[in-house]
Amino acid sequence: MSVWLPTAPCTPGDCAVHRGPATGPVTAVGRLLAGCLLVLAGALLTPLLAPLPGGARDRLTRHWCRTVLRLFGLRVHVRGAGAAPARGTGVLVVANHISWLDIPLLAAVFPARMLAKSEIGRWPVLGALAARGGTLFVERERLRALPGTVGALAAALTAGSRVAVFPEGCTWCGQDQGPFTRAVFQAALDAGAAVRPVRITYRTERGTPSGAPAYIGDDSLPVSLWRVVTAGGLTAEITVLPLIPAGRHTDRRSLAEAARSAVTGSAAGRPGPAHTAVASDRANRSAPSVHQCLNSIPAPRSSSRTRS
């Protein structure tokens, strides 16, 4: 692994804790089978969505993602505020990154082109489907590829697409958050695109944060899946934060910090109160995607291995 790749100190033993009711094994197995079958069906049907008008495609994607989350045992709660950009204007959606569940959760509100690691593009079947769904790929191990990735992001935004990224570059447990890497914000500046910050939180039925969805450290996907389906009363909460208009910030450092401050609730990174009005950017053209994450260039630091 490159020393330049983002990492987090979170580990499953310390952070992936659910302080709520547990689901019985029969129900958990049923959730697992139903959720995985719907994910597979959605992946296979992704190419069929391409010819549909943008509005119809977005509605189907939102409905599918909400259903996937519900089958895995999560309720979805959308909160937020802010005006949508003008029709045909690209927008960069940025969110904190906790889990593989972040992908359908984000798409349940903002169907978008995702920025994913290049390894996904080489996966059998799913790689081709992800590419057909409009996924943008980044070669995480090659720093020289970064300008090309920024250029591709800027081009997509200039063309009017909604593009979703996780600027932390890897998953954190949600109790704390990592720094936002800046390269993706350069793409927004180059394209003259607005930035939509989004905060993701997973909660127990009592409203306290749950670590069950966190996909961190040495987690394997089967272990993470089982932890999710056996956690009772989970709520996936997505808070849509006010839009940062194009031109408000003239450099990527200040734009990245403004976005991170919005997502964490303050410049110090403490969660702040959520807003109450629901909003969306439905006017923007988008394409549904199958998979995951992003990469940029943070300073190297030592910690445990995390997922990206």
Side-chain angles (χ1 to χ4, degrees):
M1 177 179 290
S2 170
V3 296
W4 293 103
L5 293 182
T7 56
C10 309
T11 63
D14 293 332
C15 304
V17 178
H18 179 69
R19 294 182 174 86
T23 300
V26 174
T27 300
V29 170
R31 286 178 175 178
L32 186 61
L33 292 175
C36 289
L37 285 174
L38 185 59
V39 168
L40 178 60
L44 295 175
L45 293 174
T46 292
L48 302 180
L49 298 180
L52 296 178
R57 187 171 61 236
D58 281 3
R59 285 191 294 273
L60 285 172
T61 301
R62 289 187 178 100
H63 179 71
W64 177 77
C65 289
R66 283 177 176 264
T67 304
V68 166
L69 291 165
R70 188 60 185 146
L71 288 178
F72 279 124
L74 288 88
R75 294 179 175 86
V76 178
H77 186 196
V78 182
R79 309 168 74 182
R87 180 179 294 274
T89 303
V91 61
L92 183 70
V93 180
V94 298
N96 57 306
H97 200 14
I98 299 172
S99 173
W100 50 271
L101 289 166
D102 300 346
I103 315 303
L105 178 59
L106 198 58
V109 181
F110 296 109
R113 301 184 69 176
M114 298 295 298
L115 183 60
K117 59 186 180 180
S118 59
E119 292 91 331
I120 291 173
R122 295 190 289 270
W123 288 359
V125 183
L126 288 179
L129 292 173
R132 290 177 184 175
T135 300
L136 300 167
F137 295 106
V138 56
E139 296 184 53
R140 290 159 44 86
E141 298 283 351
R142 292 185 60 228
L143 298 182
R144 292 181 180 180
L146 186 60
T149 300
V150 174
L153 284 172
L157 292 168
T158 300
S161 292
R162 187 188 300 126
V163 180
V165 300
F166 299 104
E168 289 169 299
C170 66
T171 49
W172 288 63
C173 66
Q175 299 178 37
D176 198 2
Q177 295 176 7
F180 276 14
T181 53
R182 301 167 189 159
V184 293
F185 296 97
Q186 185 62 52
L189 292 173
D190 292 345
V195 175
R196 170 69 76 183
V198 171
R199 182 187 305 135
I200 292 173
T201 311
Y202 296 96
R203 300 189 183 278
T204 68
E205 63 182 3
R206 295 183 178 181
T208 57
S210 172
Y215 186 42
I216 50 179
D218 294 324
D219 256 347
S220 66
L221 185 57
V223 169
S224 178
L225 279 164
W226 187 249
R227 192 167 59 234
V228 168
V229 298
T230 55
L234 271 181
T235 295
E237 181 180 284
I238 183 166
T239 302
V240 182
L241 299 157
L243 197 73
I244 302 175
R248 176 173 292 179
H249 298 272
T250 58
D251 66 275
R252 63 185 183 180
R253 179 191 294 269
S254 61
L255 181 56
E257 186 55 37
R260 184 181 186 276
S261 296
V263 171
T264 59
S266 73
R270 297 187 182 90
H275 300 277
T276 54
V278 175
S280 69
D281 294 326
R282 296 179 182 175
N284 294 85
R285 297 206 311 259
S286 63
S289 171
V290 177
H291 239 283
Q292 216 168 85
C293 189
L294 89 155
N295 176 60
S296 186
I297 309 180
R301 53 195 176 93
S302 59
S303 61
S304 63
R305 179 168 61 89
T306 56
R307 304 286 176 178
S308 180

